[in-house]
Each structure stands twice: as structure tokens, then as C-alpha cells.
Amino acid sequence: LITARIIWLFAETGGEPLIAFPPDPPSIIGSAIAIDGDTIEVDGHRLRRWGIDAPELDQSCTAPSGPYRCGEKAKVYLAGLLKGRTIRCQPWTDVGDDGTVVAFCARSMNGTTHPWQLRSLQHDLILEGHAIDYPRYSSGAFAEAQAIAQRSGAGLWVGDFQPPWEWRARRFVREDLAD
């Protein structure tokens, strides 16, 4: 159902996968700020990006050099991808657990928002190891990019980490036990 809502047209142009959006519902276009590693705000709309999961802001991971704040690192990386770019997001009818609209988002290449000149934010975050494929929702749409990141030891894959969905579940259990 989800993949039927968006037309996946990846083409190779200098190694950059490109994406085209369907005309309905209308896209949200503008500059964006990173809220966390998988949520952005574009033109006053809070959008959680479809098909990926990034570590929570207070989540820690382990690298060979020791523990680090991988959630904060994912947010900083995303902020760098957004800086100076126009962002185009295609919202879904789905809404996240926190009421945030779920969307597929891409950043402009060469200063345009024409669908043929956009690069997937989801793909870039996974490829650099700052987020992982969320197969429960993506049906493995980003599995190939994740395999590349894992083989190269990029980002999260340099050490040990708990998938964000498992980390959130354990945190909620700990909070319930403390009450």
C-alpha cells in the first residue's frame, strides 16, 4: 500500500539516486530544521520520515572508542544535510504514534525542487549509518543502503547499538517500573 502511493524512480546521475513524487496529496516544500535524527520541520509542518528509524536524542551507542550519543550525532548529521537546501516532502495519510505526519522527504540538488533533481534524505541517512531501515513500515525499501553502511562500518555500524524501536520499548518499560 505504501509503495503504491509513491512512484519510486531511482536513476543514476553521478551516483545520486533520484526520486519523483506523485501530484496528490500536495508536497510540503521549504527550508527545514532537524528536530531529531528522523523528524524535521518544514514550513511549520512537523514530519517524521517514512521507512527509517534513527536513534532517539538521549540514546547512547558504543564505538571502539567508547559510548557516544548516537541520537544527537544523527540529528547533527541530518541538520548538515538540510543546511542551505530546499526540502520537498510527500506526506502520507499515516500519522506516527506521536501524531506527527509521516512523509517521504528529499533535498534539492542544484537548487531546484524539480522531482528529477531531488535526493532522498532517508537513503542518505541510512547509507551513512545514522539511521536504519524500519522494515515494519518500509517493507525493506532501504535494506540495500543499510547493507552497504553495515559492510563499510558507517555511523552506527562502527560499534554496537540497539535498534531505536527496541530502545524505546525498553525505556518505556523502565519508566513504567519506576512509577
Side-chain angles (χ1 to χ4, degrees):
L1 174 67
I2 290 175
T3 53
R5 298 265 337 262
I6 193 163
I7 303 167
W8 293 78
L9 296 174
F10 285 101
E12 287 297 321
T13 305
E16 306 251 352
L18 304 173
I19 190 80
F21 293 102
D24 193 313
S27 296
I28 297 169
I29 302 171
S31 58
I33 59 168
I35 303 302
D36 61 25
D38 55 20
T39 307
I40 62 176
E41 190 169 303
V42 181
D43 194 29
H45 299 275
R46 192 162 285 210
L47 305 163
R48 186 179 188 293
R49 284 166 347 200
W50 173 81
I52 70 169
D53 205 1
E56 297 298 321
L57 287 174
D58 54 346
Q59 184 173 346
S60 290
C61 299
T62 306
S65 60
Y68 70 102
R69 295 185 53 175
C70 51
E72 186 62 35
K73 191 169 183 176
K75 177 184 177 181
V76 169
Y77 181 79
L78 175 58
L81 291 178
L82 300 174
K83 188 175 182 176
R85 302 284 185 163
T86 300
I87 305 303
R88 183 173 179 164
C89 294
Q90 184 63 44
W92 302 103
T93 56
D94 301 343
V95 175
D97 296 337
D98 62 355
T100 302
V101 173
V102 176
F104 188 93
C105 298
R107 63 190 169 109
S108 63
M109 304 306 293
N110 306 319
T112 178
T113 60
H114 186 280
W116 294 107
Q117 296 296 318
L118 297 172
R119 183 167 170 97
S120 163
L121 287 171
Q122 283 92 316
H123 181 268
D124 286 351
L125 278 160
I126 289 175
L127 193 61
E128 295 300 320
H130 295 290
I132 59 175
D133 184 45
Y134 204 164
R136 176 178 173 191
Y137 299 105
S138 74
S139 299
F142 301 105
E144 185 176 330
Q146 182 168 300
I148 292 168
Q150 191 171 6
R151 281 193 305 272
S152 68
L156 297 167
W157 302 103
V158 72
D160 295 320
F161 69 94
Q162 187 172 32
W165 56 85
E166 289 179 10
W167 186 88
R168 284 189 301 274
R170 289 182 59 141
R171 180 179 69 178
F172 294 135
V173 167
R174 286 191 306 266
E175 288 173 359
D176 287 343
L177 292 174
D179 288 340

PDB file of all heavy atoms in Angstrom, residues 102-116:
ATOM      1  N   VAL A 102       3.663  11.413   8.737  1.00  0.00           N
ATOM      2  CA  VAL A 102       4.720  10.594   8.152  1.00  0.00           C
ATOM      3  C   VAL A 102       4.875  11.023   6.693  1.00  0.00           C
ATOM      4  O   VAL A 102       3.880  11.193   5.981  1.00  0.00           O
ATOM      5  CB  VAL A 102       4.372   9.096   8.252  1.00  0.00           C
ATOM      6  CG1 VAL A 102       5.427   8.242   7.567  1.00  0.00           C
ATOM      7  CG2 VAL A 102       4.217   8.682   9.713  1.00  0.00           C
ATOM      8  N   ALA A 103       6.121  11.210   6.245  1.00  0.00           N
ATOM      9  CA  ALA A 103       6.348  11.707   4.891  1.00  0.00           C
ATOM     10  C   ALA A 103       7.636  11.135   4.312  1.00  0.00           C
ATOM     11  O   ALA A 103       8.542  10.743   5.040  1.00  0.00           O
ATOM     12  CB  ALA A 103       6.436  13.232   4.900  1.00  0.00           C
ATOM     13  N   PHE A 104       7.691  11.101   2.996  1.00  0.00           N
ATOM     14  CA  PHE A 104       8.922  10.787   2.284  1.00  0.00           C
ATOM     15  C   PHE A 104       9.535  12.124   1.920  1.00  0.00           C
ATOM     16  O   PHE A 104       8.870  12.967   1.317  1.00  0.00           O
ATOM     17  CB  PHE A 104       8.643   9.968   1.026  1.00  0.00           C
ATOM     18  CG  PHE A 104       9.893   9.480   0.378  1.00  0.00           C
ATOM     19  CD1 PHE A 104      10.401   8.234   0.690  1.00  0.00           C
ATOM     20  CD2 PHE A 104      10.585  10.278  -0.510  1.00  0.00           C
ATOM     21  CE1 PHE A 104      11.583   7.784   0.114  1.00  0.00           C
ATOM     22  CE2 PHE A 104      11.767   9.838  -1.097  1.00  0.00           C
ATOM     23  CZ  PHE A 104      12.260   8.587  -0.781  1.00  0.00           C
ATOM     24  N   CYS A 105      10.792  12.354   2.300  1.00  0.00           N
ATOM     25  CA  CYS A 105      11.407  13.663   2.102  1.00  0.00           C
ATOM     26  C   CYS A 105      12.693  13.557   1.294  1.00  0.00           C
ATOM     27  O   CYS A 105      13.434  12.585   1.410  1.00  0.00           O
ATOM     28  CB  CYS A 105      11.708  14.319   3.449  1.00  0.00           C
ATOM     29  SG  CYS A 105      10.236  14.628   4.439  1.00  0.00           S
ATOM     30  N   ALA A 106      12.921  14.594   0.510  1.00  0.00           N
ATOM     31  CA  ALA A 106      14.128  14.659  -0.304  1.00  0.00           C
ATOM     32  C   ALA A 106      14.661  16.083  -0.267  1.00  0.00           C
ATOM     33  O   ALA A 106      13.927  17.035   0.010  1.00  0.00           O
ATOM     34  CB  ALA A 106      13.821  14.236  -1.738  1.00  0.00           C
ATOM     35  N   ARG A 107      15.954  16.206  -0.543  1.00  0.00           N
ATOM     36  CA  ARG A 107      16.572  17.532  -0.548  1.00  0.00           C
ATOM     37  C   ARG A 107      16.925  17.917  -1.970  1.00  0.00           C
ATOM     38  O   ARG A 107      17.156  17.066  -2.835  1.00  0.00           O
ATOM     39  CB  ARG A 107      17.805  17.554   0.340  1.00  0.00           C
ATOM     40  CG  ARG A 107      18.914  16.636  -0.094  1.00  0.00           C
ATOM     41  CD  ARG A 107      19.995  16.558   0.983  1.00  0.00           C
ATOM     42  NE  ARG A 107      20.916  15.493   0.696  1.00  0.00           N
ATOM     43  CZ  ARG A 107      22.166  15.660   0.307  1.00  0.00           C
ATOM     44  NH1 ARG A 107      22.659  16.871   0.176  1.00  0.00           N
ATOM     45  NH2 ARG A 107      22.949  14.631   0.062  1.00  0.00           N
ATOM     46  N   SER A 108      16.945  19.220  -2.191  1.00  0.00           N
ATOM     47  CA  SER A 108      17.222  19.728  -3.524  1.00  0.00           C
ATOM     48  C   SER A 108      18.680  19.473  -3.903  1.00  0.00           C
ATOM     49  O   SER A 108      19.571  19.470  -3.072  1.00  0.00           O
ATOM     50  CB  SER A 108      16.922  21.227  -3.597  1.00  0.00           C
ATOM     51  OG  SER A 108      17.771  21.940  -2.713  1.00  0.00           O
ATOM     52  N   MET A 109      18.865  19.258  -5.154  1.00  0.00           N
ATOM     53  CA  MET A 109      20.198  19.178  -5.741  1.00  0.00           C
ATOM     54  C   MET A 109      20.257  20.305  -6.773  1.00  0.00           C
ATOM     55  O   MET A 109      19.296  20.520  -7.491  1.00  0.00           O
ATOM     56  CB  MET A 109      20.433  17.826  -6.405  1.00  0.00           C
ATOM     57  CG  MET A 109      20.224  16.634  -5.468  1.00  0.00           C
ATOM     58  SD  MET A 109      21.174  16.673  -3.948  1.00  0.00           S
ATOM     59  CE  MET A 109      22.820  16.508  -4.563  1.00  0.00           C
ATOM     60  N   ASN A 110      21.306  21.042  -6.812  1.00  0.00           N
ATOM     61  CA  ASN A 110      21.448  22.138  -7.768  1.00  0.00           C
ATOM     62  C   ASN A 110      20.397  23.232  -7.573  1.00  0.00           C
ATOM     63  O   ASN A 110      19.981  23.874  -8.525  1.00  0.00           O
ATOM     64  CB  ASN A 110      21.396  21.613  -9.210  1.00  0.00           C
ATOM     65  CG  ASN A 110      22.404  20.528  -9.452  1.00  0.00           C
ATOM     66  OD1 ASN A 110      23.542  20.620  -8.984  1.00  0.00           O
ATOM     67  ND2 ASN A 110      22.013  19.480 -10.137  1.00  0.00           N
ATOM     68  N   GLY A 111      19.882  23.393  -6.335  1.00  0.00           N
ATOM     69  CA  GLY A 111      18.980  24.489  -6.027  1.00  0.00           C
ATOM     70  C   GLY A 111      17.577  24.400  -6.602  1.00  0.00           C
ATOM     71  O   GLY A 111      16.873  25.393  -6.644  1.00  0.00           O
ATOM     72  N   THR A 112      17.123  23.239  -7.016  1.00  0.00           N
ATOM     73  CA  THR A 112      15.788  23.105  -7.581  1.00  0.00           C
ATOM     74  C   THR A 112      14.978  22.086  -6.799  1.00  0.00           C
ATOM     75  O   THR A 112      15.542  21.212  -6.155  1.00  0.00           O
ATOM     76  CB  THR A 112      15.857  22.685  -9.070  1.00  0.00           C
ATOM     77  OG1 THR A 112      14.527  22.528  -9.567  1.00  0.00           O
ATOM     78  CG2 THR A 112      16.589  21.363  -9.244  1.00  0.00           C
ATOM     79  N   THR A 113      13.646  22.212  -6.843  1.00  0.00           N
ATOM     80  CA  THR A 113      12.783  21.195  -6.223  1.00  0.00           C
ATOM     81  C   THR A 113      12.105  20.342  -7.290  1.00  0.00           C
ATOM     82  O   THR A 113      11.158  19.637  -7.007  1.00  0.00           O
ATOM     83  CB  THR A 113      11.710  21.834  -5.319  1.00  0.00           C
ATOM     84  OG1 THR A 113      10.897  22.706  -6.103  1.00  0.00           O
ATOM     85  CG2 THR A 113      12.341  22.557  -4.145  1.00  0.00           C
ATOM     86  N   HIS A 114      12.585  20.440  -8.516  1.00  0.00           N
ATOM     87  CA  HIS A 114      12.035  19.589  -9.567  1.00  0.00           C
ATOM     88  C   HIS A 114      12.259  18.136  -9.148  1.00  0.00           C
ATOM     89  O   HIS A 114      13.350  17.773  -8.699  1.00  0.00           O
ATOM     90  CB  HIS A 114      12.741  19.866 -10.902  1.00  0.00           C
ATOM     91  CG  HIS A 114      12.111  19.132 -12.028  1.00  0.00           C
ATOM     92  ND1 HIS A 114      12.364  17.805 -12.273  1.00  0.00           N
ATOM     93  CD2 HIS A 114      11.219  19.537 -12.959  1.00  0.00           C
ATOM     94  CE1 HIS A 114      11.665  17.407 -13.316  1.00  0.00           C
ATOM     95  NE2 HIS A 114      10.959  18.446 -13.759  1.00  0.00           N
ATOM     96  N   PRO A 115      11.217  17.295  -9.259  1.00  0.00           N
ATOM     97  CA  PRO A 115      11.339  15.916  -8.777  1.00  0.00           C
ATOM     98  C   PRO A 115      12.545  15.148  -9.314  1.00  0.00           C
ATOM     99  O   PRO A 115      13.056  14.263  -8.637  1.00  0.00           O
ATOM    100  CB  PRO A 115      10.033  15.268  -9.234  1.00  0.00           C
ATOM    101  CG  PRO A 115       9.066  16.400  -9.326  1.00  0.00           C
ATOM    102  CD  PRO A 115       9.889  17.591  -9.756  1.00  0.00           C
ATOM    103  N   TRP A 116      13.010  15.473 -10.485  1.00  0.00           N
ATOM    104  CA  TRP A 116      14.147  14.735 -11.043  1.00  0.00           C
ATOM    105  C   TRP A 116      15.481  15.176 -10.457  1.00  0.00           C
ATOM    106  O   TRP A 116      16.500  14.587 -10.733  1.00  0.00           O
ATOM    107  CB  TRP A 116      14.172  14.876 -12.564  1.00  0.00           C
ATOM    108  CG  TRP A 116      12.991  14.214 -13.180  1.00  0.00           C
ATOM    109  CD1 TRP A 116      11.914  14.836 -13.730  1.00  0.00           C
ATOM    110  CD2 TRP A 116      12.736  12.819 -13.271  1.00  0.00           C
ATOM    111  NE1 TRP A 116      10.999  13.906 -14.161  1.00  0.00           N
ATOM    112  CE2 TRP A 116      11.489  12.655 -13.898  1.00  0.00           C
ATOM    113  CE3 TRP A 116      13.433  11.678 -12.883  1.00  0.00           C
ATOM    114  CZ2 TRP A 116      10.934  11.409 -14.142  1.00  0.00           C
ATOM    115  CZ3 TRP A 116      12.877  10.433 -13.138  1.00  0.00           C
ATOM    116  CH2 TRP A 116      11.646  10.311 -13.757  1.00  0.00           C
TER     117      TRP A 116
END
